[in-house]
Amino acid sequence: EPNSSSPTVPLSSGFVPCGFVPLPHLFFTSPQIWWLDPELTYGNAKPFVFTQGHSVCNRSFFPCFDTPAVKCTYSATVKAPAGIQVLMSATQSTYLEEEGVYQFYMEYPVPAYLVALVAGDLVHADIGPRSRVWAEPCLLPTAISKLSGMVERWLTAAESLYGPYIWGRYDIVFLPPSFPIVAMENPCLTFIISSILESDEFLIIDVIHEVAHSWFGNAVTNATWEEMWLSEGLATYAQRRITTETYGAAFTCLETAFRLDALHRQMKLLGEDNPVSKLQVKLEPGVNPSNLMNLFTYEKGYCFVYYLSQLCGDPRHFDSFLRAYIEKYKFTSVVAQDLLDSFLNFFPELKEQCVESKAGLEFERWLNATGPPLAEPDLSQGSSLTRPVEMLFKLWTTEPLDSVAAASSVDLTKWRTFQTVLFLDRLLDGSPLPHEVIKKLSECYSSQLDSMNAEIRIRWLQIVVRNDYYPDLYKVRRFLENQMSRMYTIPLYEDLCTGTLKSFALEIFYQTQNQLHPNLRKTIQQILSQGLNPLPAIDTTAVTTDTPAMVLEDKVSEATNGAISLRDVNVSA
């Protein structure tokens, strides 16, 4: 229930009591609440439930003003069976063991979409003075080894840039592979998909991005979903300032180059005049705001924020402005004009220079022009990491192919993950490749790639599929037989069904469908059904609607369905 003393408008009339009750097989009750039977968890021991409120799904969880413009505190009482651990995005919690009742209280005002609940077979370990990690017992040792001591390092770096962390604790819970996005910045309790644990560099970036949201998005929120870049663009900028402080400029530039490559890929497919490429997107009545969230929200938003920082001459001056911005607007919601007016008032010399009206780079044009960013960051500090990628790509794509010896001498196991995925993404962009090239690529790298993380393997397997390279197809089958996550299944099924391998995809799907969440199963059915007679009925008893959660996977815009692989928009919330 909302706290009546909240300084902002409270949530409706009350918080609906939530009880964890085992439901029929794989039952899915609403767009917001995901119920999983034990077989859809890693431990296969107990049922599991989680919520995902972004952007407007929490209206099916509890009565609320489901808009980011409204914030309030909240309290909740949750009754659960013995052995089920319940967590919420709250600053305070207690547990009455005799009654099996959890009580939660969020003392700071938050928008409805940041109210989150998870319950299941979860255990924890402290990984820092104000952080702990929660996971299923079989995953906890891995989570500890990946994150112990790291979160405090990132929080400290963020505080040095943007001021005190105001939420008290920063805990992380790893969710089963059915979690429909990569990560979600619920205050005090970040949700992350467990599948990302094996990909160290992606895990680092995803967690740091969610840490950045503690200031940009959670403390200061976009007042309208038409300006999501105010959260995502600023959080992406802050994320990269934090990674620069902790891992150096070269690593940050490499990750930025990887993301900007994806942005330009999306732009090429959508067209430069597509209205979804605006930072201020028009939200038509009846459209789910999540459908408007794409790489422009993140990367074009980031480029605008980076441009503002460059106007200051020194990024540390811009850090000072952002600290003042957070202090002025924390616990409220803002529009773009609030940010820009504050910026010009903080730097009166820039206001005198009329930087907001600089020809070709007008603030208004940044916000409302379609197409790519008006300016992009200088990534030359990352050349030590990006140049080897560019050189290797050139060796493999320059005809005639007479540099195989030089190319094959490159040991990809010594590269960073972001170098390898950048290289593979560029090969994907050039596919289909000449048969001789794909054959030699497999001979040189396939065995190396087999031992790498899923972010790398899925890209190589997409190359295999897009080039109809049959000798490695068994690896595609093996990969899909062991994956239950949208982020690692949908891209391959999309590629399989675009080419000549749809029957192969059907065969794998019928063998693996029972290990997939009904929503994912239904999405794959829709992909497989394109151009075919309707597929035989599959038991999706409780899936009765095409839920917003389905399009939330990596925040894919419906406008891009069928044109852009999910690998191009693999971003955290």
Side-chain angles (χ1 to χ4, degrees):
E1 61 185 1
N3 187 324
S4 59
S5 63
S6 170
T8 54
V9 181
L11 292 176
S12 191
S13 59
F15 192 104
V16 176
C18 305
F20 184 89
V21 181
L23 295 180
H25 181 64
L26 303 180
F27 192 79
F28 180 76
T29 58
S30 76
Q32 155 63 18
I33 306 173
W34 295 62
W35 301 88
L36 280 60
D37 269 10
E39 57 264 36
L40 290 183
T41 68
Y42 282 102
N44 298 310
K46 298 177 182 178
F48 202 98
V49 64
F50 62 84
T51 65
Q52 171 55 25
H54 196 290
S55 302
V56 290
C57 294
N58 264 349
R59 62 189 63 185
S60 64
F61 181 22
F62 58 92
C64 62
F65 294 110
D66 205 355
T67 165
V70 175
K71 293 187 173 186
C72 76
T73 61
Y74 76 87
S75 60
T77 299
V78 185
K79 184 176 176 61
I84 295 294
Q85 176 68 52
V86 182
L87 305 170
M88 289 193 74
S89 54
T91 51
Q92 300 174 28
S93 65
T94 58
Y95 177 51
L96 305 175
E97 186 172 359
E98 300 79 9
E99 303 174 23
V101 170
Y102 292 83
Q103 294 180 326
F104 300 96
Y105 176 56
M106 168 53 79
E107 63 189 281
Y108 303 115
V110 294
Y113 76 90
L114 291 178
V115 177
L117 176 147
V118 60
D121 187 15
L122 295 169
V123 292
H124 75 271
D126 290 337
I127 55 172
R130 46 184 164 171
S131 301
R132 65 178 40 158
V133 63
W134 293 86
E136 293 183 62
C138 60
L139 292 176
L140 187 63
T142 301
I144 295 170
S145 67
K146 301 281 187 177
L147 292 174
S148 183
M150 302 306 296
V151 173
E152 184 61 26
R153 180 184 179 191
W154 301 331
L155 285 171
T156 300
E159 287 182 314
S160 71
L161 295 169
Y162 306 120
Y165 177 75
I166 59 179
W167 303 98
R169 295 197 60 79
Y170 187 93
D171 294 342
I172 296 171
V173 58
F174 285 96
L175 276 68
S178 298
F179 187 52
I181 60 175
V182 179
M184 182 64 205
E185 67 269 19
N186 304 308
C188 307
L189 186 68
T190 287
F191 284 16
I192 299 186
I193 193 168
S194 298
S195 312
I196 206 71
L197 271 169
E198 68 172 278
S199 306
D200 289 0
E201 291 180 21
F202 279 82
L203 175 64
I204 288 170
I205 293 301
D206 290 334
V207 177
I208 293 178
H209 184 85
E210 307 312 317
V211 166
H213 269 308
S214 302
W215 285 262
F216 305 100
N218 294 5
V220 181
T221 309
N222 46 282
T224 168
W225 291 122
E226 294 179 334
E227 294 186 326
M228 276 189 266
W229 75 271
L230 283 170
S231 289
E232 297 302 345
L234 281 161
T236 302
Y237 177 85
Q239 161 211 311
R240 290 175 179 152
R241 287 289 291 129
I242 296 167
T243 57
T244 299
E245 292 295 310
T246 51
Y247 297 101
F251 175 75
T252 300
C253 289
L254 171 65
E255 184 266 335
T256 306
F258 163 71
R259 298 294 187 190
L260 289 179
D261 251 30
L263 176 69
H264 287 290
R265 186 178 304 116
Q266 192 173 98
M267 175 60 64
K268 183 178 179 181
L269 291 167
L270 289 176
E272 293 195 2
D273 59 349
N274 195 303
V276 302
S277 64
K278 295 181 180 181
L279 290 183
Q280 287 185 328
V281 184
K282 178 64 176 175
L283 186 60
E284 298 296 337
V287 174
N288 186 335
S290 295
N291 297 348
L292 299 179
M293 204 164 189
N294 49 48
L295 278 176
F296 301 102
T297 304
Y298 293 78
E299 297 303 333
K300 188 173 181 178
Y302 159 75
C303 287
F304 184 28
V305 178
Y306 180 87
Y307 170 71
L308 294 177
S309 75
Q310 293 301 106
L311 291 175
C312 305
D314 186 332
R316 290 173 296 184
H317 295 161
F318 192 65
D319 296 336
S320 298
F321 158 67
L322 290 178
R323 280 197 299 273
Y325 167 77
I326 292 293
E327 185 60 31
K328 179 178 180 180
Y329 290 110
K330 66 182 177 183
F331 305 133
T332 68
S333 300
V334 299
V335 296
Q337 203 58 49
D338 295 323
L339 171 70
L340 298 176
D341 287 346
S342 296
F343 174 76
L344 293 174
N345 290 333
F346 193 87
F347 297 105
E349 67 281 8
L350 296 179
K351 188 173 185 179
E352 291 177 6
Q353 297 168 23
C354 298
V355 294
E356 72 276 16
S357 304
K358 186 176 181 180
L361 293 166
E362 300 90 346
F363 289 179
E364 180 66 21
R365 190 170 182 180
W366 270 103
L367 296 175
N368 290 303
T370 59
L374 302 182
E376 293 189 10
D378 175 11
L379 302 180
S380 59
Q381 288 182 285
S383 60
S384 63
L385 296 174
T386 56
R387 191 181 301 115
V389 175
E390 293 162 358
M391 292 175 62
L392 185 61
F393 177 72
K394 185 176 181 181
L395 287 174
W396 281 108
T397 53
T398 301
E399 295 184 359
L401 190 64
D402 54 7
S403 304
V404 173
S408 61
S409 67
V410 176
D411 185 358
L412 296 184
T413 63
K414 299 188 184 309
W415 275 18
R416 288 183 173 272
T417 289
F418 279 116
Q419 288 179 289
T420 307
V421 296
L422 182 61
F423 170 62
L424 294 176
D425 274 352
R426 291 182 178 179
L427 289 176
L428 269 170
D429 290 339
S431 292
L433 300 163
H435 180 74
E436 178 190 5
V437 172
I438 187 67
K439 182 174 182 292
K440 292 294 185 182
L441 280 166
S442 180
E443 291 172 358
C444 289
Y445 303 133
S446 186
S447 60
Q448 291 183 37
L449 298 171
D450 284 346
S451 62
M452 296 185 186
N453 63 61
E455 289 289 342
I456 292 173
R457 295 201 314 277
I458 189 173
R459 286 167 166 82
W460 169 246
L461 296 177
Q462 286 184 272
I463 292 172
V464 167
V465 170
R466 291 191 190 183
N467 289 275
D468 294 331
Y469 189 63
Y470 289 91
D472 277 1
L473 271 185
Y474 75 95
K475 297 181 180 181
V476 176
R477 177 191 297 275
R478 187 170 62 195
F479 186 84
L480 288 174
E481 286 174 346
N482 291 284
Q483 292 292 338
M484 297 184 290
S485 167
R486 297 179 69 88
M487 60 195 285
Y488 295 137
T489 54
I490 297 297
L492 277 172
Y493 276 108
E494 286 180 335
D495 283 347
L496 285 166
C497 292
T498 299
T500 61
L501 297 168
K502 182 171 286 189
S503 60
F504 178 68
L506 280 164
E507 179 184 338
I508 297 172
F509 174 69
Y510 283 128
Q511 290 174 353
T512 61
Q513 59 178 299
N514 289 335
Q515 71 189 40
L516 305 175
H517 189 279
N519 281 355
L520 176 56
R521 198 186 310 159
K522 184 176 181 181
T523 302
I524 296 173
Q525 279 184 276
Q526 291 170 340
I527 294 170
L528 293 169
S529 296
Q530 292 174 6
L532 293 178
N533 292 326
L535 292 179
I538 295 175
D539 179 21
T540 55
T541 309
V543 184
T544 57
T545 60
D546 196 4
T547 69
M550 292 175 62
V551 296
L552 268 172
E553 165 57 38
D554 299 328
K555 308 299 176 58
V556 181
S557 169
E558 282 187 348
T560 71
N561 280 352
I564 298 177
S565 172
L566 294 187
R567 71 183 175 86
D568 296 331
V569 284
N570 182 11
V571 290
S572 306

